[in-house]
Structures are given as structure tokens and as C-alpha cells.
Amino acid sequence: MSERTYEMLWDCQYCGTKKLLGKTHRFCPNCGAAQDPRSRYYPSEEDKVAVEDHHFVGVDVTCSVCNTLNSADSHFCQNCGAALDESGVAVTKLASQTANVMGEFEEMGSRDVVKEEFDAEMQRVGAAPRTTGLPQQAMDWRVIAFIVAAIVICGGIAFYMLRTEAQTVVVTGHSWERIVTVEEYVSFTTRSWRDSPPAGYNIDLRAGSCTREQRGTRQVQDGETCNTVRSDNGDGTFSEREVCVPRYRSEPVYDDMCTWEGERYEVVNSYTTSGNDIQPFFQPLTLQCEGIQRVGCEQQQFNGTYVIHLQSEDGSHRYTCPLSQAMWTAIAEGDRFTMHVRAVDNSSGDCGSLEAVDGSTSLSNTSSGKTGETD
Ligand SMILES: [Zn+2]
Ligand SMILES: [Zn+2]
């Protein structure tokens, strides 16, 4: 990338001479006033003055004793002789500018340093927004306090609503539901991508069945977008260079969509049995050539849910808990448990917290070995 260096411009605040050169004119050629680096600005295209063979030595420094502008390679102020390593302050650089699509820069032109300083100072002491400044802060404080209070209250309510306490519950009954699912071994045909065949047995790709279809898109680089950027070097010059970023467009991605043939089990029927006792059974069925994996033959799958019904000791609240079949079978009507229930209204018990009170069932509590017994 080619990079070219040009003079920044500045205007003399004392005699009003405009478009002085940042690097060449360290003093106003008209009245002799020292350049104020804060008044530097980027020139328009017509006013650009190139700096040939620019040798960058560093950002200019301002002597903090006498305010004179010095080059970064001088160690003592050319005006008052102060040691710049201690009293030199690097000048503030202008923000970089990027040209728009037409290649034009935002025009800056002459700067009114006195006004800029005045505005900055006013902003610093808060002169302009004083009337709104204090209520603004009080407001912020109130908003924060309100938010904190809201969080605390919401948290408190949630804690109160969700708090649980252990309660004694009694088993009042059992219920169960069992489902037999009948699956038939069938042959099937389906279409899917070549790299993702369907699940099943004896899967085959039908010859000649694949077609090209769009599967998605991808981003591909399509040239690059370049803009001219100019950046302040801080020594009275600025540099212009091309900055390019890749440009992308989306492109369709094609893949093979194919026809597959194969065999698999498909659900053809299901039968549900249920009861409120402790003798669960499945619907007895006669299947087609059961146990043989051949088209037209059937197999069955078994599933069940087993629920115990509980109520609070005073009978005012009822709960149901799904359990494993073994646990469900081991529990008898009249067994007593403790269970964590929502304290606020005794609703929704936590079935995972069930613990036997009597130690009469497999859920019995094995806790509470007394400490100190072994010694
Ligand atoms: Zn002047
Ligand atoms: Zn000085």
C-alpha cells in the first residue's frame, strides 16, 4: 500500500493568517506567533501540500513552562531551555478520517481554538448543565435505590413462595398405566442427502436416483473494499494510505439428494391398560410371526408409569409421585413418609425428597449414626 505524507494546516490566532503549514511553519510567517498545535486541521484536497522524504522523529511536544511547540527530537525547549524530557507534553493528535465511497473526507477547515477551549472548560465545570446536573444525580441515586429494592423484594417473594418444609404424608393408594407398542417390520423408501442415509436395516442407495440440489450457502470472498484513511502523525504532518478489507458474497452450495430403500420397524398400534391397584398387566396380544425380522412380522415394546398417591396427615392436601416399578411395589397403603412441600400453601410436593418415617420400606432413612460411638 502506498503511503503519502502531507502537511497539516493551522490558522494563526493572532493575525488571522489561514492555511499555514504544520511542519514548515512552526511560527506564523506574517506575525511571528508560535504555532498552536491544537489548531491543526486536515486540509481539503486542493490545499494538500505533500512532504517529500518525510522523516518521522516522533509526536511534537509542547513545553509546559512556556507553551512553545518543539520537535520530538529536541531535548530542551528552543524558547526557554527547559528540559523537555520532564516538562514536554505530547500534542494531542486529531482523530483519523476515512474517506466515503465517493473518496471524499469530512471537511474540517479552520478551528476556533479559543471557542473549543471555552466549551471544554464549561463542560468540565458543568456550567451549562448545572441546573439539570444535580437533580440528574439525585435521580440516578433514586433509580438505583429503586432497582435494588425491587430486586430484594422480588427475591424475598420468590424465596417465600418457593420455600419448602418437611411434612408427614401418608400413602393412600397406587395407580399404574402400561402401554404396549406394536411395531411392524416394513420396507420403505425415502430421500435424503448422500452423506446422511436413513436409519434402518438393509439400507441401499437406489442407483441413478441422486440429483443436485441446493443444500445451503457459503460466504466467498468477492474482491475487497478499499478506503483512503488519513491519520495525524502529530508532528505537523499526516499520512494517507489505502486500507482494504475483504468483501464477501454468499454462494449456493449443492449436494446429492438421493433415494434410499431399506427396512425398519414402524409403530402400527399401541394398547393402554391402567388400574388403581398393585397388579399391573400388559394387554395380551397375538403378533404376526413374532421374533422374525421379515417384512410383515411384528414386535412389541413395553412401557409403564407407576404412581403412588399421598395425602397430608390431616387429609387436606393430596400429592402424586411417579416411582420406579420396584419402589412402587415395595410401598404399601398406610406407609408414612416425610416430604418437602411448598410451605406457603402446601402445594406441589418434591417427590425426590420422600423419606420413610417408619423405616418400613426400601426408602428407609439410613442416616444419623451417632458420633463418638466408635471411640
Ligand atoms: Zn500570525
Ligand atoms: Zn519552553
Side-chain angles (χ1 to χ4, degrees):
M1 292 292 120
S2 67
E3 177 169 318
R4 297 215 61 192
T5 303
Y6 301 91
E7 299 259 9
M8 295 289 284
L9 297 186
W10 63 283
D11 295 344
C12 177
Q13 304 287 319
Y14 297 94
C15 71
T17 308
K18 298 200 183 302
K19 298 178 183 175
L20 298 170
L21 303 177
K23 184 169 177 61
T24 308
H25 299 139
R26 310 300 273 190
F27 296 91
C28 173
N30 190 37
C31 74
Q35 178 188 143
D36 182 346
R38 295 167 302 179
S39 67
R40 288 172 180 170
Y41 56 91
Y42 293 116
S44 63
E45 278 307 303
E46 311 85 72
D47 294 333
K48 269 171 31 175
V49 175
V51 179
E52 303 301 338
D53 304 320
H54 179 240
H55 177 59
F56 181 70
V57 292
V59 174
D60 287 341
V61 293
T62 307
C63 170
S64 61
V65 178
C66 73
N67 229 11
T68 301
L69 185 64
N70 288 273
S71 174
D73 59 0
S74 39
H75 296 286
F76 299 96
C77 175
Q78 55 176 324
N79 182 48
C80 73
L84 291 173
D85 293 338
E86 289 138 38
S87 60
V89 179
V91 305
T92 307
K93 294 201 279 186
L94 235 56
S96 295
Q97 287 193 338
T98 302
N100 63 18
V101 286
M102 309 293 291
E104 296 161 346
F105 289 98
E106 179 194 340
E107 216 51 67
M108 266 194 94
S110 309
R111 297 169 59 192
D112 188 339
V113 176
V114 176
K115 183 175 183 306
E116 279 179 31
E117 288 230 309
F118 179 78
D119 289 348
E121 183 64 10
M122 285 300 105
Q123 202 147 34
R124 192 182 67 77
V125 300
R130 171 174 295 168
T131 47
T132 57
L134 289 174
Q136 184 78 37
Q137 266 191 338
M139 181 77 154
D140 286 347
W141 183 86
R142 264 181 242 167
V143 168
I144 290 167
F146 176 78
I147 291 169
V148 169
I151 290 170
V152 168
I153 290 168
C154 288
I157 290 172
F159 176 78
Y160 176 72
M161 295 300 288
L162 298 176
R163 190 170 44 101
T164 64
E165 63 188 19
Q167 222 187 56
T168 303
V169 290
V170 183
V171 177
T172 58
H174 294 65
S175 64
W176 56 271
E177 183 180 272
R178 278 182 162 183
I179 300 171
V180 199
T181 307
V182 179
E183 297 173 342
E184 185 184 348
Y185 196 71
V186 296
S187 53
F188 72 99
T189 311
T190 190
R191 278 176 76 72
S192 67
W193 300 111
R194 184 190 284 273
D195 66 3
S196 43
Y201 305 93
N202 306 322
I203 300 295
D204 274 323
L205 181 65
R206 186 186 288 169
S209 71
C210 297
T211 53
R212 296 295 276 177
E213 288 182 24
Q214 186 177 342
R215 190 172 183 174
T217 58
R218 70 169 156 232
Q219 297 298 105
V220 291
Q221 194 178 335
D222 182 24
E224 50 185 16
T225 306
C226 296
N227 284 304
T228 308
V229 174
R230 50 191 189 183
S231 44
D232 185 355
N233 292 321
D235 64 348
T237 70
F238 69 95
S239 297
E240 268 190 15
R241 60 196 164 85
E242 287 269 279
V243 174
C244 298
V245 290
R247 194 168 52 221
Y248 294 91
R249 66 184 160 78
S250 74
E251 192 181 77
V253 176
Y254 293 93
D255 205 353
D256 285 344
M257 177 60 88
C258 304
T259 300
W260 301 86
E261 292 167 342
E263 291 153 5
R264 66 188 175 201
Y265 283 102
E266 285 181 0
V267 173
V268 291
N269 231 325
S270 69
Y271 301 89
T272 303
T273 50
S274 61
N276 296 315
D277 49 33
I278 51 169
Q279 270 103 39
F281 63 91
F282 285 103
Q283 175 72 41
L285 297 172
T286 309
L287 302 181
Q288 294 295 319
C289 47
E290 190 177 6
I292 301 169
Q293 191 168 305
R294 194 178 68 211
V295 171
C297 293
E298 294 173 329
Q299 69 176 18
Q300 50 190 342
Q301 306 282 355
F302 302 100
N303 281 293
T305 52
Y306 306 91
V307 172
I308 57 164
H309 298 263
L310 306 145
Q311 69 177 27
S312 55
E313 279 196 303
D314 61 5
S316 62
H317 288 87
R318 295 170 186 282
Y319 312 96
T320 56
C321 284
L323 298 176
S324 70
Q325 190 185 353
M327 208 169 270
W328 178 81
T329 308
I331 291 172
E333 209 169 311
D335 281 355
R336 293 152 62 82
F337 294 89
T338 59
M339 179 166 71
H340 290 283
V341 302
R342 196 172 293 173
V344 67
D345 58 358
N346 287 342
S347 71
S348 72
D350 173 15
C351 294
S353 69
L354 277 178
E355 278 181 22
V357 171
D358 310 313
S360 59
T361 72
S362 60
L363 286 173
S364 74
N365 199 344
T366 57
S367 68
S368 80
K370 280 192 181 133
T371 54
E373 251 183 7
T374 45
D375 270 330

